[in-house]
Amino acid sequence: MPKFPLLSLLSALLVAVLAACAGTNVASNAPATPGAPSLAEVYADNFYIGAAVNARQISGRDTAGLRLLASDFSSITPENVMKWEEIQPGPDTYTWELADGYVELGERLDMWIIGHTLVWHSQLPAYVRETTDPDQLRAYMEDHIRTVAGRYAGRIDGWDVLNEALNEDGSYRESVFYKVLGEQYIVDAFRLAAEAAPNTQLYYNDYNLNNPQKRQGVLRLVKLLQDNGVRIDGVGMQGHYNLNGPPIAEVEASIDAYAGTGVNVMITELDLTTLPNPWDLDGADVNQDFENSPEMNPYPDGLPDSVSTKIADRYADLFDLFLRKDEAVTRVTLWGINDAQTWLNNWPIRGRTNYPLLFDRESRPKEAYDRLLTLKDN
Ligand code: G3I
């Protein structure tokens, strides 16, 4: 029985109306381009095609985004609504509405449903972030994981149990969890998640996992769990890439290394920033305020065809790799449905116009989308 019947009813009605309007059966991944196969259909034999969804899509306000979600994707990830600060803002305060709506949306669309994320140093409420007592922090972590993972046991298919616990050199990030509890927090987090949701896959998720040094850190973390007899089912390589890097060979070497430990590999937050960043400029002061800098926001009114083609080429190169590795790669999730919603419009510089995803600001398929639809024909 849905926890919030009105939200659930509105969202269910919307999905049904979208299906009727689009003349599609929402659960069948009918195509965004009538007559063509959908993205999820094209890759159904290889890996799930996922999308991060935001509050506007979960609550049914982004009808164009929901139509694409139903037509072209087979997995969903909550961009923000299940993070600790959103779902448990106080020690005795849980806010379930959007998280429940997210899971109900995934069930209605017959999606592979991801939970993101149980333990992360960012978007953490102050009562946790400022804890110094080990017993108190251990109690907070146990309560959070048992309550959240337990609530959706049997409904969420895979959890990002732990997010971004490593530094670029592969050492442990000095998060509040590591500083107060040591590396044992990693073992405890996965053990608690496995107890709360025994049939849910459990993942470690992080960015720059193509980086050889960070790769060694991941292998050490997976070994720590396996040596302690605690289940880990997959490693999530976030995939916040750009048009020129990281090298395909580096990504491939990491896929092979993680798969070699016996876990699945997933590309969990794929987007390709198309704009320059301060650190790309020789000698740039990254702390300089670049807001409203035309140099940093070169395409405010639209993308040149040459750049659209470069994005398509880069997505094609990456998907060629994922297809070659589809024994190990079980999911490729885009970090958003369309360019209007991407976090990259506001990071690392606020108010820019970025073009990192497969659908444009009006939710129309881009050249990169068309390229991926026909990639396997070549
Ligand atoms: O909800 C508040 C809203 O009430 C307020 O009016 C508004 C004012 O700016 O802020 C809103 O919160 C924002 C939140 O997204 C929800 O939209 C935060 O400011 C903003 O910082 C937050 O950004 C998210 C970011 O994680 C936070 O680190 C991005 O949307 C989200 O895409 C991004 O996702 C992370 C993954 O979870 C983990 N991997 C890296 C990835 C990119 O950072």
Side-chain angles (χ1 to χ4, degrees):
M1 174 62 185
K3 299 288 182 300
F4 289 88
L6 178 58
L7 175 65
S8 176
L9 175 63
L10 286 175
S11 183
L13 282 174
L14 179 80
V15 168
V17 166
L18 284 177
C21 296
T24 65
N25 170 349
V26 289
S28 72
N29 294 119
T33 308
S38 75
L39 202 59
E41 278 179 333
V42 167
Y43 293 94
D45 295 338
N46 306 103
F47 32 70
Y48 289 107
I49 298 290
V53 293
N54 62 25
R56 286 190 68 247
Q57 289 146 355
I58 293 164
S59 57
R61 286 172 287 151
D62 178 1
T63 53
L66 277 172
R67 187 167 51 248
L68 290 176
L69 187 67
S71 65
D72 279 77
F73 296 91
S74 50
S75 176
I76 54 173
T77 297
E79 186 176 13
N80 287 296
V81 303
M82 283 189 153
K83 291 170 178 173
W84 199 319
E85 71 176 3
E86 301 281 345
I87 210 168
Q88 188 183 5
D92 304 313
T93 311
Y94 280 96
T95 49
W96 296 115
E97 183 175 1
L98 281 170
D100 286 349
Y102 162 76
V103 175
E104 287 156 13
L105 174 65
E107 291 171 329
R108 242 189 324 282
L109 294 179
D110 192 24
M111 294 275 182
W112 180 260
I113 302 172
I114 300 301
H116 174 80
T117 176
L118 292 172
V119 178
W120 186 27
H121 67 279
S122 183
Q123 292 181 271
L124 199 57
Y127 77 91
V128 182
R129 193 174 58 246
E130 292 163 4
T131 301
T132 55
D133 174 72
D135 292 336
Q136 179 62 77
L137 186 57
R138 205 173 288 116
Y140 282 151
M141 198 172 78
E142 178 158 356
D143 170 68
H144 186 73
I145 294 173
R146 288 195 187 286
T147 305
V148 178
R151 182 182 183 90
Y152 302 112
R155 301 176 66 193
I156 281 184
D157 298 295
W159 266 109
D160 288 341
V161 174
L162 177 58
N163 195 48
E164 302 174 14
L166 298 173
N167 294 316
E168 293 311 289
D169 65 1
S171 62
Y172 287 127
R173 179 190 296 271
E174 294 279 322
S175 69
V176 62
F177 300 104
Y178 182 71
K179 282 190 289 191
V180 175
L181 299 173
E183 77 173 357
Q184 185 60 36
Y185 89 94
I186 298 171
V187 179
D188 292 346
F190 278 84
R191 179 179 47 76
L192 288 164
E195 290 169 0
N199 301 314
T200 299
Q201 293 192 5
L202 307 178
Y203 312 134
Y204 175 69
N205 189 55
D206 206 336
Y207 59 87
N208 290 353
L209 293 193
N210 53 282
N211 167 347
Q213 279 191 308
K214 207 164 186 179
R215 183 189 307 151
Q216 293 311 312
V218 173
L219 295 176
R220 188 183 72 242
L221 185 149
V222 171
K223 187 176 188 305
L224 171 73
L225 293 167
Q226 292 174 339
D227 288 351
N228 280 274
V230 173
R231 179 163 61 88
I232 176 169
D233 301 294
V235 168
M237 301 174 67
Q238 290 184 5
H240 295 297
Y241 297 154
N242 60 62
L243 301 184
N244 303 304
I248 295 292
E250 234 182 53
V251 179
E252 178 168 5
S254 285
I255 291 173
D256 290 341
Y258 305 142
T261 68
V263 302
N264 295 329
V265 181
M266 298 148 290
I267 311 303
T268 53
E269 306 181 9
L270 184 58
D271 48 28
L272 303 181
T273 187
T274 50
L275 304 180
N277 284 321
W279 49 81
D280 298 327
L281 301 182
D282 291 338
D285 169 8
V286 292
N287 298 309
Q288 176 186 341
D289 179 4
F290 284 96
E291 286 202 31
N292 308 315
S293 150
E295 188 182 28
M296 286 293 165
N297 192 29
Y299 314 120
D301 305 317
L303 205 55
D305 290 346
S306 60
V307 182
S308 294
T309 299
K310 199 166 181 188
I311 298 168
D313 291 344
R314 182 70 171 143
Y315 267 112
D317 290 346
L318 287 162
F319 268 69
D320 273 334
L321 168 64
F322 303 154
L323 285 169
R324 285 193 289 110
K325 297 294 173 180
D326 71 351
E327 287 300 310
V329 175
T330 57
R331 172 167 56 95
V332 178
T333 289
L334 284 299
W335 201 241
I337 296 171
N338 61 42
D339 288 340
Q341 77 175 92
T342 179
W343 70 293
L344 291 170
N345 288 328
N346 293 300
W347 188 91
I349 301 168
R350 297 193 67 78
R352 297 202 292 176
T353 307
N354 212 322
Y355 302 81
L357 298 168
L358 299 178
F359 294 90
D360 69 15
R361 280 163 169 68
E362 286 71 41
S363 288
R364 294 171 306 206
K366 292 160 66 175
E367 182 179 342
Y369 170 88
D370 296 334
R371 182 79 67 81
L372 295 185
L373 277 194
T374 58
L375 189 66
K376 291 172 66 175
D377 302 340
N378 302 335

